[in-house]
Amino acid sequence: MHLGAPFESKKDYQIVAAPTNFIIDQQGRIVYSDFTVDAENEQMLTLMIESMMK
């Protein structure tokens, strides 16, 4: 999704509130969503990103 995308994109990606976090793979698929980014789960976020790089 890019700035200026049609309103339907919100529905396509099931965005229900802001902020919504996604990790999207190279094929454009949502692999992870609805996660929080903070100091308490930084290691989990790192593992999620590393799993995408394999």
Side-chain angles (χ1 to χ4, degrees):
M1 184 166 56
H2 59 84
L3 294 176
F7 180 77
E8 292 79 30
S9 294
K10 292 179 181 179
K11 187 170 32 172
D12 292 341
Y13 286 99
Q14 300 177 359
I15 297 171
V16 294
T20 301
N21 298 310
F22 297 103
I23 296 180
I24 301 172
D25 69 10
Q26 293 179 341
Q27 289 74 39
R29 297 176 297 207
I30 296 173
V31 181
Y32 298 105
S33 64
D34 299 325
F35 55 90
T36 305
V37 179
D38 59 28
E40 292 180 15
N41 68 351
E42 184 176 343
Q43 183 177 9
M44 179 59 75
L45 180 58
T46 298
L47 293 172
M48 291 163 56
I49 292 169
E50 287 176 351
S51 75
M52 299 291 303
M53 300 177 82
K54 294 181 181 183

